[in-house]
């Protein structure tokens, strides 16, 4: 009887979700366009940065420096006058403005150390941080070549050979796409289960469940398995259609093993969603709770920055969060091709944390149901 009740109540949850167009659009977006934009918008290398150059020297060396800036790193440089620099940067036209002073080539050949001024719009952090080193490298290279009249070939006593494992192309899209899927799994599983419980309360259908021969365990278990199923199917389709086919990201490990780990993670996060749903009295309150809970979970789990770069106390505290272990196993499986022998500690941690969260949420859910009876 319990299994039958859990099955039919779960089917009811799936029908309720199907009738909610906003959540359905949100699910489709989170596992399609959201993944694509996260993978393609975060480009680590410089791309088409606007640069203006004030060439007061008008010498062969200054012209050589001007010609060294070209796509795809920079847009073709615009030659401007000194009085235009501040106005153009105030309007956001240029990210970089390079000023080559008069008599620059003459002073350089005379053995002096003339200065070149580089103005940077630091509000464009991505381009400013990366482009600074690009500009310095280009200018220094052209000056060195001009002075020595040839391309200097430096000979080092050691030949350092670079072999990039797991991401041979050093492509940031490979990291961004998979990590966005991982983050959306955590986000959607919490939102869907919490919203399902709050929707019952707002529509008044909780009272209908109270008069039925069902237990709080059956009600909660039905919400957990139905919402977990939705997220699991969406994850599998996203990995196949968006990550592998659309973005052409190679997955080195077993997708089946990853989906099994996802299922364990969903057991924990859907339980957490039920717990938050019992605390919040309305969807606006639930949204505020999501901001307080979800943001630290995602930022401190190791998906955005390596856990090793965080303070030790944060690393220890975040071991109590299920998505920390999920990020570890997901990266190991999908990036490095790890098997069950390498990720079984994370699997065990998810089972223990999921059981603890389920028990805590069930206790809270029973009290909520009792207060409404």
């Amino acid at each position: 009887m319990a299994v039958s009740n859990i099955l039919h109540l779960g089917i009811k949850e799936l029908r309720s979700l199907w009738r909610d167009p906003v959540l359905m659009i949100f699910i489709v977006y989170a596992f399609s366009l959201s993944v694509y934009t996260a993978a393609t918008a975060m480009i680590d290398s410089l791309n088409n940065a606007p640069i203006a150059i004030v060439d007061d020297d008008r010498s062969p060396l200054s012209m050589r420096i001007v010609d060294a800036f070209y796509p795809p790193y920079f847009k073709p440089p615009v030659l401007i006058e000194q009085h235009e620099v501040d106005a153009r940067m105030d309007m956001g036209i240029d990210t970089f403005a390079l000023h080559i002073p008069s008599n620059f080539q003459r002073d350089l050949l005379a053995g002096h150390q003339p200065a070149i001024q580089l103005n940077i719009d630091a509000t464009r952090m991505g381009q400013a941080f990366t482009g600074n080193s690009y500009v310095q490298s280009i200018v220094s290279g052209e000056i060195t070549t001009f002075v020595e009249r040839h391309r200097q070939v430096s000979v080092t006593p050691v030949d350092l050979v670079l072999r990039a494992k797991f991401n041979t192309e050093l492509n940031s899209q490979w990291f961004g796409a998979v990590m966005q899927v991982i983050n959306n799994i955590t986000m959607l599983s919490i939102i869907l289960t919490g919203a399902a419980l709050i929707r019952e309360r707002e529509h008044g259908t909780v009272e209908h469940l109270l008069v039925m021969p069902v237990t709080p365990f059956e009600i909660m278990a039905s919400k957990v398995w139905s919402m977990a199923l939705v997220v699991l199917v969406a994850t599998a389709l996203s990995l196949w259609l968006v990550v592998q086919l659309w973005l052409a990201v190679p997955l080195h490990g077993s997708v089946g093993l990853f989906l099994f780990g996802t299922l364990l993670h969903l057991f924990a996060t859907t339980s957490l969603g039920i717990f938050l749903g019992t605390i919040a009295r309305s969807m606006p309150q639930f949204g505020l709770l999501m901001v307080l809970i979800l943001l630290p979970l995602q930022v401190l789990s190791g998906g955005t920055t390596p856990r090793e770069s965080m303070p030790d106390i944060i690393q220890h505290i975040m071991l109590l969060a299920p998505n920390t272990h999920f990020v570890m196993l997901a990266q190991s499986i999908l990036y490095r091709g790890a098997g069950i022998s390498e990720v079984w500690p994370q699997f065990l941690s998810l089972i223990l944390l999921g059981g603890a969260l389920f028990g805590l949420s069930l206790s809270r859910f029973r009290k909520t149901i009792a207060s409404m009876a």
Side-chain angles (χ1 to χ4, degrees):
M1 186 64 182
V3 175
S4 177
N5 289 339
I6 293 173
L7 176 63
H8 288 90
L9 288 173
I11 295 175
K12 178 189 74 68
E13 295 295 336
L14 294 176
R15 290 175 177 171
S16 299
L17 178 62
W18 180 256
R19 299 190 191 99
D20 193 331
V22 175
L23 281 180
M24 290 300 299
I25 293 174
F26 182 50
I27 293 171
V28 174
Y29 169 78
F31 287 99
S32 57
L33 292 179
S34 175
V35 176
Y36 178 80
T37 54
T40 56
M42 299 176 60
I43 301 177
D44 295 333
S45 60
L46 198 66
N47 185 51
N48 285 332
I51 182 171
I53 299 179
V54 179
D55 187 5
D56 288 339
D57 192 29
R58 304 290 179 176
S59 64
L61 175 58
S62 65
M63 296 177 62
R64 186 184 188 119
I65 293 176
V66 172
D67 293 338
F69 295 94
Y70 48 81
Y73 297 130
F74 296 91
K75 290 183 177 180
V78 179
L79 293 176
I80 62 175
E81 299 298 328
Q82 174 64 30
H83 66 272
E84 299 180 74
V85 173
D86 291 338
R88 290 175 62 91
M89 297 200 78
D90 289 343
M91 291 186 293
I93 298 177
D94 302 318
T95 302
F96 305 96
L98 188 68
H99 182 203
I100 305 175
S102 58
N103 301 322
F104 174 75
Q105 177 179 315
R106 187 193 67 182
D107 294 342
L108 182 69
L109 294 177
H112 303 302
Q113 291 184 332
I116 294 181
Q117 184 180 35
L118 176 63
N119 302 281
I120 303 176
D121 182 359
T123 59
R124 302 175 177 178
M125 280 301 299
Q127 288 186 339
F129 182 77
T130 307
N132 177 33
S133 59
Y134 275 68
V135 174
Q136 293 186 41
S137 177
I138 291 173
V139 172
S140 299
E142 294 302 324
I143 292 175
T144 302
T145 302
F146 180 81
V147 172
E148 298 185 358
R149 303 296 181 181
H150 67 279
R151 294 288 180 182
Q152 181 181 8
V153 180
S154 59
V155 179
T156 59
V158 178
D159 184 15
L160 180 63
V161 179
L162 174 64
R163 291 191 177 94
K165 298 190 66 176
F166 314 122
N167 187 353
T168 55
E169 298 181 5
L170 299 177
N171 191 339
S172 61
Q173 292 188 15
W174 294 14
F175 178 81
V178 175
M179 289 314 304
Q180 186 68 11
V181 172
I182 293 172
N183 289 334
N184 287 346
I185 290 172
T186 302
M187 176 183 66
L188 263 297
S189 57
I190 297 176
I191 289 178
L192 292 182
T193 47
L197 180 58
I198 295 175
R199 185 170 54 237
E200 297 269 19
R201 185 184 298 120
E202 292 180 341
H203 293 175
T205 54
V206 174
E207 288 77 5
H208 298 168
L209 294 176
L210 294 177
V211 299
M212 295 176 62
V214 293
T215 64
F217 172 81
E218 295 169 352
I219 298 174
M220 179 175 166
S222 65
K223 297 182 185 299
V224 168
W225 81 257
S226 57
M227 297 301 104
L229 177 63
V230 171
V231 178
L232 187 66
V233 172
T235 301
L237 291 176
S238 181
L239 286 177
W240 175 40
L241 297 176
V242 180
V243 176
Q244 291 184 289
L245 295 183
W246 192 359
L247 294 171
V249 176
L251 302 179
H252 297 287
S254 170
V255 176
L257 184 62
F258 167 73
L259 292 178
F260 179 69
T262 303
L263 186 61
L264 296 179
H265 177 61
L266 289 173
F267 174 57
T269 52
T270 51
S271 301
L272 178 60
I274 294 291
F275 181 79
L276 296 179
T278 59
I279 297 177
R281 298 300 176 184
S282 63
M283 284 302 295
Q285 289 185 7
F286 182 69
L288 292 176
L289 279 177
M290 286 296 299
V291 174
L292 295 175
I293 298 297
L294 187 62
L295 190 59
L297 283 180
Q298 293 187 343
V299 172
L300 302 177
S301 64
T304 304
T305 57
R307 294 183 64 249
E308 293 76 13
S309 63
M310 303 177 189
D312 291 339
I313 186 172
I314 298 297
Q315 296 185 38
H316 297 324
I317 292 175
M318 288 306 296
L319 289 177
L320 298 176
N323 64 320
T324 299
H325 303 279
F326 180 57
V327 168
M328 293 168 63
L329 74 86
Q331 292 180 345
S332 298
I333 295 174
L334 297 180
Y335 291 151
R336 298 186 286 272
I340 188 64
S341 59
E342 288 84 16
V343 297
W344 70 265
Q346 286 75 45
F347 278 61
L348 180 60
S349 299
L350 286 176
I351 294 173
L352 296 177
L353 290 173
L357 285 172
F358 187 87
L360 178 64
S361 302
L362 180 59
S363 175
R364 174 74 186 181
F365 184 62
R366 281 173 174 164
K367 293 179 181 179
T368 304
I369 293 293
S371 65
M372 300 176 61

